[in-house]
Amino acid sequence: MPDSSVSDRPSDIGPNTAETRTPGFGLSDIARPWRLRFADIRNTSTFRLTVVLGAIAIAGVALLILVIYLFSADQINARTDRILKREAVRMQSIPSEDVPHEIDSSLARDISGLNYYALLDSSGHRIAGNLTARVSALNRHPHDLAAQPGIRTAIRLLAVPVGKGDMLLIGRDITLVVDLRQRVTVIFVASGLVILLLMLTLGTALSLAPLRRVSHLQNVARRIAAGRFDERMPLTGRDDEFDQFARTVNAMVEEVAQVVNQTKSVTDAIAHDLRTPFTRVRGRLSQIRTKNEGNPTLVSALDAAIGDLDHALGRFAGLLRISEIEARTRRAGFAPVDVGDLLATLIDLYRPLAEERTQNLTCHSASALCLFADGSLLFEALSNLLDNAIKYAPTAGHISISASRDVRGAVRITVADDGPGIAPGERATALHRFERGIVGSGISGYGLGLSIVAAIAHLHQFELELRDNEPGLAIALVTPPDAVIAPLPGEF
């Protein structure tokens, strides 16, 4: 559906599968409240830097604890190994027949209970000693033996040959090393958890202020994007990176606002200044035509000239109408609008026009839909869309207008037809002023209808969505959820 009396429709005949959406800024986006979300916090550079530094701190603590443990365990094991080897040398110096007696004597003198002995014959049976645990492999180098039935704790064990075929096992309690290992593990886990908690807390605390600042900057940016070029990014005076960015954006906004205002002023001035002399020329041509009705050749030439002037005047009127809409105060003229009544009025107005072309015009609206909007502007936008649909839908074609609520609670007002549609690659330019496609070039219009619809949508912070109707085109005005209000009982 291109435009109406100010109409355009860039189009190619063919399948249209893409969807073009012109985003609007919802009323809630203009002053969106700041909400603390962890997803926002974890994406900040401050939080990420804190996590990196925390991870480095955890790695440093872990490395320090590991070094302390390895050094301490090595020293304890070295001391234990010296004791075991000294005891092995002493036992090997004793006659083999006296070894069992010496083992019993050593155990009797061992008040601490840290020493273990076992004398095994060539078959592996224990001859003497208090080490009753089974040792599957005899290692003649000191090694650790885990706690098991027969020993109450881990020991450091050394196996040495004595006599003819006997094997002496000498062990020493290494509870100190085991306790050290457990304590190191507990310290590592506890310190890691504490540092992790502190890291998350510190990262969150340090991210709050930048997030608040970014939220303020985003709200101002949304208002600027909505056309309020008088807004400026706030400055704190700290001259930090946010202040530097805000100054750059403020300078850019000033330049953009100046260029936009100059362009609009020149366009509006040209349209306004030329409309009066064009109107006078048209009046004079009409007078000449009336006086020379007997000259068909002259009348035909005058009709063509008058038609061209009407076309130019129509474009001037469309440009001035767009400027008038864009110049309105954001909520001036806004009031509750009953969508059902609005669509019913549009159907009554355009059904005769559709019937002249034997087109089927249908309407469907969900009950109790009420918007906070400018009713006259919304009527104008939908009138443009309906007029375009009637122009471009084929004879005996189908046109529909509908209103419904989506899952977000927003209202979607859609005008659809089964005409040639707009090629997906041209939908982005369909809203530009004076854009008319191949199909639209043969139909009367000024190339400004969809531009007016876009200006009205922008004023209301609606999204303007163009999508394929298979066949044809569907254009939808999508409201933000907060534009929908509940009508008072009996109000409409």
Side-chain angles (χ1 to χ4, degrees), residues 321 328-337 342 371-381 456 459-460 462:
R321 180 58 178 156
R328 288 199 177 195
T329 304
R330 181 162 302 282
R331 290 181 177 265
F334 277 46
V337 176
L342 181 66
L371 299 178
F372 187 67
D374 188 315
S376 61
L377 290 181
L378 192 57
F379 184 88
E380 181 178 353
I456 294 174
L459 176 66
H460 286 78
F462 293 173

Side-chain angles (χ1 to χ4, degrees), residues 91-92 96 99 103 117-128 131 135 137-141 157-170:
M91 286 292 188
Q92 286 178 320
S96 59
V99 171
I103 290 176
Y117 296 91
L119 180 62
L120 306 179
D121 59 17
S122 58
S123 300
H125 296 96
R126 185 167 61 90
I127 301 174
L131 182 60
V135 181
L138 298 179
N139 192 337
R140 299 191 181 187
H141 299 282
L157 188 66
L158 176 64
V160 294
V162 292
K164 297 181 178 180
D166 295 339
M167 185 66 68
L168 175 64
L169 305 181
I170 305 173

Side-chain angles (χ1 to χ4, degrees), residues 129-179:
N130 62 342
L131 182 60
T132 59
R134 299 188 62 181
V135 181
S136 58
L138 298 179
N139 192 337
R140 299 191 181 187
H141 299 282
H143 64 282
D144 294 343
L145 183 64
Q148 54 180 286
I151 53 175
R152 64 178 182 271
T153 184
I155 63 174
R156 187 80 171 170
L157 188 66
L158 176 64
V160 294
V162 292
K164 297 181 178 180
D166 295 339
M167 185 66 68
L168 175 64
L169 305 181
I170 305 173
R172 188 168 178 82
D173 192 322
I174 55 172
T175 303
L176 182 62
V177 177
V178 175
D179 290 344

Side-chain angles (χ1 to χ4, degrees), residues 56-136:
I56 294 175
I58 292 177
V61 170
L63 181 61
L64 177 63
I65 293 175
L66 180 62
V67 169
I68 292 174
Y69 165 73
L70 292 177
F71 180 77
S72 302
D74 182 71
Q75 292 298 315
I76 294 173
N77 285 336
R79 179 176 177 274
T80 301
D81 291 346
R82 288 195 298 270
I83 294 175
L84 293 176
K85 291 177 179 179
R86 185 169 60 247
E87 184 67 10
V89 170
R90 187 178 72 82
M91 286 292 188
Q92 286 178 320
S93 64
I94 299 174
S96 59
E97 61 272 12
D98 295 335
V99 171
H101 176 73
E102 183 62 26
I103 290 176
D104 293 337
S105 300
S106 298
L107 291 175
R109 294 192 302 268
D110 182 22
I111 301 176
S112 65
L114 299 178
N115 296 321
Y116 290 87
Y117 296 91
L119 180 62
L120 306 179
D121 59 17
S122 58
S123 300
H125 296 96
R126 185 167 61 90
I127 301 174
N130 62 342
L131 182 60
T132 59
R134 299 188 62 181
V135 181
S136 58

